[in-house]
């Protein structure tokens, strides 16, 4: 699945979702790091040290131990935050399987295992059957449109996978101490080799090999982690070779809370032609 940067910014942001994922009215400011305030002291400074070698494994292990969490991702395409897009994702990890429930504007997506469903009345023909199951093997125009819509929604929802990509960092250093959602967190700064991360499928669904033909292959990423190795904020700017740039800010919260992620009922599935 591909991230198409210009199209990834064109959809609107209105929230509806039949799962427990919550919403937030907080909006980021024009500066990438202005939503948090420096903390004078932090217990995070005394914890076992995170390094370039162990960062990805420890933070991913902390997320898997919690099993569920929420990600609010803001995207900005050259302009003020008044033009931003907000994507809210509920994540449930069960062993090697990660299920998702995504709110992306007026559209929704559910991924259960390898099955993906999208809710888009424009694509599926109205309210009688507002959901469609993605069939990547279908050759019909409608099925291709549904698959494309799903790929865009997934690419926005999966920005948090940048945690796994830190295993392919060429640069690493601690940053500042911050308070995020009243939790003390320590920032880490990475330079990631996207060629290696994509080759290892660390960013599957967010970036693929074809995207690397258009984007810079070296990416600077900021990740703020709390004292329990849980990521609280992920920030980076993805630029293409035409001079376009998209800023991503993913805020993670609600770790370990009970959630419901389920496929839409059969009666709500439309036939896509």
């Amino acid at each position: 699945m591909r991230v198409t940067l210009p199209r990834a910014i064109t959809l609107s942001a209105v929230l509806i979702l039949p799962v427990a994922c919550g919403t937030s009215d907080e909006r980021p400011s024009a500066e990438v790091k202005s939503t948090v305030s420096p903390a004078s002291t932090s217990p995070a400074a005394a914890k076992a040290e995170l390094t370039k070698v162990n960062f990805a494994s420890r933070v991913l292990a902390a997320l898997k131990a919690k099993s569920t969490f929420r990600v609010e991702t803001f995207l900005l395409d050259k302009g003020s935050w008044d033009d931003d897009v907000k994507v809210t994702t509920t994540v449930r990890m069960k062993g090697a399987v990660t299920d998702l429930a995504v709110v992306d504007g007026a559209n929704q997506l559910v991924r259960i295992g390898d099955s993906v469903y999208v809710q888009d009345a424009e694509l599926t023909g109205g309210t009688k059957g507002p959901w469609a199951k993605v069939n990547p093997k279908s050759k019909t125009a409608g099925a291709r449109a549904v698959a494309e819509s799903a790929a865009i929604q997934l690419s926005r929802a999966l920005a948090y996978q940048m945690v796994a990509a830190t295993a392919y960092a060429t640069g690493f250093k601690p940053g500042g101490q911050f308070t995020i959602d009243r939790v003390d967190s320590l920032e880490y700064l990475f330079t990631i080799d996207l060629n290696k991360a994509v080759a290892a499928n660390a960013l599957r669904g967010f970036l693929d090999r074809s995207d690397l033909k258009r984007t810079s292959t070296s990416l600077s990423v900021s990740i703020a982690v709390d004292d329990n190795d849980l990521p609280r904020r992920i920030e980076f700017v993805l630029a293409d070779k035409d001079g376009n740039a998209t800023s991503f800010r993913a805020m993670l919260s609600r770790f370990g809370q009970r959630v419901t992620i389920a496929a839409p009922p059969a009666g709500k599935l439309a036939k896509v032609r």
Side-chain angles (χ1 to χ4, degrees):
M1 296 186 182
R2 299 172 53 186
V3 173
T4 305
L5 291 180
R7 291 201 59 187
I9 305 303
T10 59
L11 300 181
S12 60
V14 180
L15 301 182
I16 51 172
L17 184 65
V19 297
C21 62
T23 61
S24 171
D25 294 328
E26 295 182 5
R27 299 175 65 84
S29 65
E31 294 297 326
V32 170
K33 294 190 173 78
S34 62
T35 58
V36 294
S37 57
S40 57
T41 60
S42 171
K47 71 178 182 181
E49 187 174 304
L50 286 169
T51 67
K52 184 173 73 170
V53 174
N54 67 21
F55 185 93
S57 60
R58 275 181 47 176
V59 174
L60 288 173
L63 286 174
K64 289 179 180 179
K66 290 296 183 181
S67 180
T68 65
F69 54 95
R70 185 180 74 172
V71 186
E72 290 180 295
T73 304
F74 296 86
L75 299 89
L76 169 66
D77 185 20
K78 279 191 175 180
S80 70
W81 287 109
D82 291 336
D83 301 321
D84 69 336
V85 171
K86 178 182 176 182
V87 180
T88 302
T89 304
T90 300
V91 182
R92 181 178 63 198
M93 305 173 109
K94 298 187 299 182
V97 177
T98 299
D99 298 331
L100 304 171
V102 182
V103 178
D104 185 354
N107 303 320
Q108 303 173 58
L109 177 145
V110 172
R111 187 180 77 183
I112 306 290
D114 293 328
S115 297
V116 178
Y117 305 85
V118 294
Q119 183 278 320
D120 187 327
E122 183 177 348
L123 292 174
T124 56
T127 57
K128 184 176 180 180
W131 289 86
K133 186 174 182 179
V134 175
N135 180 4
K137 295 182 179 180
S138 176
K139 304 297 183 182
T140 68
R144 288 198 303 269
V146 168
E148 182 179 354
S149 175
I152 292 172
Q153 291 181 60
L154 276 172
S155 70
R156 295 167 160 188
L158 292 172
Y160 75 89
Q161 289 187 151
M162 203 56 68
V163 169
T166 62
Y168 306 94
T170 58
F172 167 87
K173 64 180 180 180
Q177 292 183 357
F178 300 96
T179 300
I180 302 174
D181 291 336
R182 295 179 291 182
V183 177
D184 290 337
S185 304
L186 181 60
E187 177 189 38
Y188 294 88
L189 304 172
F190 299 87
T191 302
I192 295 176
D193 185 330
L194 289 180
N195 277 319
K196 292 183 178 180
V198 168
N201 281 328
L203 292 169
R204 181 182 179 185
F206 181 70
L207 287 177
D208 63 23
R209 291 182 185 275
S210 63
D211 295 311
L212 297 184
K213 297 177 181 178
R214 302 187 305 274
T215 66
S216 170
T217 56
S218 180
L219 183 66
S220 297
V221 177
S222 163
I223 302 179
V225 178
D226 68 17
D227 195 38
N228 295 312
D229 291 341
L230 292 170
R232 294 283 176 168
R233 187 199 66 203
I234 303 169
E235 296 177 325
F236 56 93
V237 178
L238 197 60
D240 65 28
K241 294 178 180 178
D242 295 326
N244 301 308
T246 303
S247 298
F248 289 79
R249 177 187 292 139
M251 307 297 292
L252 287 78
S253 61
R254 301 193 180 186
F255 302 99
Q257 293 191 8
R258 179 177 296 180
V259 301
T260 299
I261 302 177
K268 292 292 185 179
L269 290 176
K271 293 182 179 180
V272 179
R273 295 178 294 277

